[in-house]
Each structure stands twice: as structure tokens, then as C-alpha cells.
Amino acid sequence: MKKRILLPLLCIAASLLLGACGNSSGENGKVVVYNWGEYIDPETITMFEEETGIKVIYDEFETNEIMYPKVEAGASSYDVVCPSDYMIRKMIENDLLAEINWDNVPNVKKNIGSQYFEQSKEFDPENKYSVPYCFGTVGILYNKTMVDEPVDSWNILWNEKYTDSILMQDSVRDAFMVALKKNGFSMNSLNEEELNIAKDDLILQKPLVQAYVIDQVRDKMIGNEAAIGVIYSGEAIYTQRENPDLEYVIPKEGTNVWIDSWVIPKNCENKENAEKFIDFMCREDIALMNFEYITYSTPNDAARALIEDEDLRNSKIAFPNFDEYENLETFTYLGDEGDSLYNSLWEEVKSH
């Protein structure tokens, strides 16, 4: 679910060849990692290389939808990938993932909270294929100096008072999540009547929207260029550090609770090294470094215990008590027909 977009840490060689999942020596060779932009502390990669002798070849993607066809095509045989929940389910259903050998990743069982594996069962029912890396929510970020009424509902994104000062995510599932939840529907709805109501609401809202953006929500809100934006909780933590006038809320109608997880593609060439990489990233000191660098919530309970800033360690944005909220959901894979339906409705919205 990560949305920051920066230049890749390292460009992956175009000549990587498709091959069967292998077992390169843990003390040499390479591991090819495909992750969201700026979604890892580069120092942790250096530390992994120094400690293991394994060379990390690192590539970045912008969206799940860009990542999936590259993995499916197998033109580049990635060893470790970090998709989001619903996309992991799609990869499982299309037989693209290798089962993880849990004996090779002891830090996972030791440090990752069991509640995150329970949540993961929604997309990885038997917890065979994925290791939680980051989690969070989607909510409303607003500027207290520009918004003078209580913010507790998605409805404020349709308030004409904030015309040209509203930022929406340029993402079909995220945009429809907002409109579906606003109307009391599931964000995984395949009911065409409900989806058309959401589509009509998004069309109605469009003249009020300053921009449909991804990473720029963060930057525009920090720079006081907009009053209200839809944002991921990890980005909200970062924005509040930069601009104390910003507040983040989970609307009363509910929202998306997401998990991004490490997985190993079935066509990987370095499975043993992939498992070593995942295990290293689950070590508490490494997970803490990554949390402090990317500000996205870690499911690593041992790392959370090491956070020195008490306010951050107990932050309701970073570590919300989900029992306090209603109608929280995780995105599910809707199937090819469902994806096509959402995409066609989104095209209608964008064409108005």
C-alpha cells in the first residue's frame, strides 16, 4: 500500500533470467528484491550484505498493478517481493508464489505479532506464503487552520466549502473505498447498484477536487496547499512531524486496514537467500530501523518495544486499537471480472 515514489536505490539488471526456484548458498550469491519506492532503510541492505555476503539487487515499483504483470511474466526472476494484501491473494490464486520454509525464518515467529498473521488469513488463509512487513489504515488528513468543523466522516470530502482544496488518491480501489464507505457499503462490493452509487458520488465530487495524486498528498498538505486529503497512516505520521497543524482521523463509517507482506515468487532463483533476507528484515533492530526511516507501522512487536519515543510507541495513528473502530475491512481480490468492473467505472469518473 506504500505510495512514496522516489528513484530506485539500485536498478535491476535487465538480463535477469527466468528460472526455477533454487537454493543458492546463504554465504554468497545474490537476492533480487522488488519493493515499493522508499520503503526500506538503505542502511539495512548494506548491513545485510556485510553480514551475509549476499549481494542485494534492488528494484522498486509504484503500484501493485505495475508489479503484478512483471512478476507474472517472469521476465525478471525476483526472489523477494512486497505486495499488498489483495494482490497477494491474486498471486496465490494464480500459483505465482512459493511456500515459505518457516524453519529458515526464526525471527518471524519470534517477533511478528500473532494478530497480524490472523489478519493475513483474509488473503493468505493458511499463512503459507507471506510475512507481514508493514500495516496501516487509510484516513483523512486535514489542516486545523483551514478546517473549522469536526472531521469524523468521509462526507467532508463532498463539502463545497473546500472546493479546490481536497486531495483524493489517484487509485481506483482507494477512491471507490471512500465513496463506498461513505454510503455504508463494503469496500469490496461487487454489487453493481452500490458501485454505481459510489461512481456517481465520485463524479459529483470531482469539481471539488484539487487533484488526484499519490505521493503529492503528503507534500501538498505539508506545504499548506490543500485543506483535506485522503492519505495512508504512515504518511500522516511523517506529515505531522513536518507540519504540526495537520491531524489524521479514521472516519466513523470505517476504512481500509491494509498489510504489505514479503513473499517469494515461485520462479525465484535464490530461495534460500530470499528467506535469509526476510528473516533479517524481521530482526527487531532492523525492523526498528525501517520503521524509523519509512514511518509506516511495523507488525514487529519486538521492534515496537524498542521505540524510545513513548508518544510514538503508543501513537494511535501508528498503532491503533482496532477494537475502537467499526466497519474496518481489508481489500480482497475481486477476480478479473471484478477488476474490470471497477476499472471501467473509474474510467467513467476520470473522463468527466
Side-chain angles (χ1 to χ4, degrees):
M1 193 58 62
K2 185 70 171 59
K3 295 296 180 182
R4 292 186 195 166
I5 309 161
L6 291 186
L7 293 175
L9 296 174
L10 291 172
C11 291
I12 190 167
S15 61
L16 286 172
L17 301 176
L18 172 67
C21 208
N23 290 288
S24 296
S25 166
E27 294 304 315
N28 54 55
K30 67 185 179 184
V31 61
V32 186
V33 180
Y34 197 25
N35 195 8
W36 298 88
E38 202 188 305
Y39 210 29
I40 199 167
D41 183 343
E43 182 62 25
T44 65
I45 294 176
T46 300
M47 292 171 66
F48 174 79
E49 291 179 326
E50 290 175 348
E51 290 188 27
T52 65
I54 299 168
K55 175 66 176 176
V56 178
I57 301 173
Y58 196 91
D59 197 11
E60 297 177 346
F61 59 85
E62 180 178 328
T63 69
N64 284 291
E65 286 69 28
I66 290 173
M67 173 278 299
Y68 180 85
K70 289 190 69 176
V71 174
E72 182 184 38
S76 299
S77 46
Y78 296 109
D79 300 312
V80 182
V81 185
C82 189
S84 302
D85 32 52
Y86 70 96
M87 193 56 72
I88 293 172
R89 183 58 177 264
K90 182 176 182 178
M91 296 172 86
I92 292 171
E93 291 189 7
N94 287 287
D95 197 29
L96 295 180
L97 299 182
E99 292 187 22
I100 294 171
N101 182 341
W102 299 102
D103 290 337
N104 292 339
V105 287
N107 284 322
V108 174
K109 184 176 181 180
K110 174 186 170 189
N111 295 333
I112 303 297
S114 60
Q115 67 269 34
Y116 304 106
F117 278 106
E118 282 301 311
Q119 185 179 340
S120 296
K121 287 181 180 179
E122 293 190 32
F123 53 89
D124 183 1
E126 298 180 65
N127 288 137
K128 289 183 177 180
Y129 302 97
S130 61
V131 173
Y133 175 55
C134 291
F135 75 96
T137 58
V138 180
I140 296 173
L141 187 72
Y142 69 97
N143 191 308
K144 293 180 290 185
T145 68
M146 300 181 187
V147 179
D148 54 12
E149 63 233 70
V151 179
D152 64 355
S153 168
W154 292 116
N155 281 298
I156 197 168
L157 298 170
W158 276 259
N159 190 329
E160 293 182 0
K161 177 178 177 181
Y162 302 106
T163 298
D164 201 37
S165 199
I166 295 169
L167 302 173
M168 287 287 288
Q169 289 288 327
D170 190 11
S171 159
V172 55
R173 291 300 299 270
D174 290 322
F176 270 87
M177 181 278 290
V178 171
L180 287 164
K181 284 296 189 184
K182 168 183 176 289
N183 287 287
F185 305 140
S186 168
M187 67 185 196
N188 295 306
S189 176
L190 286 172
N191 182 304
E192 290 197 35
E193 182 179 352
E194 294 177 352
L195 287 170
N196 276 301
I197 290 172
K199 177 203 71 176
D200 290 343
D201 263 359
L202 289 171
I203 291 172
L204 182 67
Q205 181 205 34
K206 193 173 180 184
L208 313 181
V209 176
Q210 179 190 117
Y212 296 91
V213 288
I214 301 178
D215 187 47
Q216 297 94 325
V217 175
R218 175 193 67 194
D219 302 326
K220 283 177 173 288
M221 293 298 293
I222 290 172
N224 298 318
E225 296 178 42
I228 307 171
V230 178
I231 201 167
Y232 299 95
S233 53
E235 300 280 18
I237 294 169
Y238 176 82
T239 62
Q240 287 184 322
R241 288 180 179 176
E242 302 297 315
N243 186 339
D245 291 327
L246 301 177
E247 290 286 348
Y248 177 83
V249 296
I250 295 175
K252 61 187 178 183
E253 298 92 350
T255 191
N256 173 25
V257 178
W258 53 267
I259 292 182
D260 291 342
S261 299
W262 299 117
V263 300
I264 300 175
K266 214 168 191 179
N267 72 325
C268 72
E269 295 181 338
N270 307 287
K271 186 169 189 287
E272 181 180 321
N273 289 352
E275 290 169 339
K276 286 182 179 295
F277 181 86
I278 292 171
D279 190 60
F280 185 83
M281 291 301 155
C282 291
R283 209 171 78 188
E284 56 266 44
D285 59 325
I286 301 302
L288 178 64
M289 289 176 64
N290 282 323
F291 169 71
E292 291 177 338
Y293 184 84
I294 66 177
T295 69
Y296 272 73
S297 305
T298 176
N300 193 307
D301 287 347
R304 180 183 176 185
L306 296 177
I307 298 172
E308 294 184 359
D309 185 332
E310 185 177 353
D311 289 339
L312 184 57
R313 188 171 65 248
N314 298 318
S315 166
K316 290 189 175 183
I317 298 176
F319 304 103
N321 179 357
F322 292 129
D323 293 336
E324 296 178 359
Y325 303 95
E326 296 182 356
N327 301 316
L328 302 178
E329 295 181 86
T330 297
F331 278 133
T332 59
Y333 171 51
L334 301 173
D336 290 340
E337 290 186 7
D339 283 349
S340 295
L341 175 59
Y342 271 75
N343 288 332
S344 65
L345 293 171
W346 184 232
E347 287 176 8
E348 287 189 53
V349 173
K350 298 300 282 289
S351 66
H352 270 73

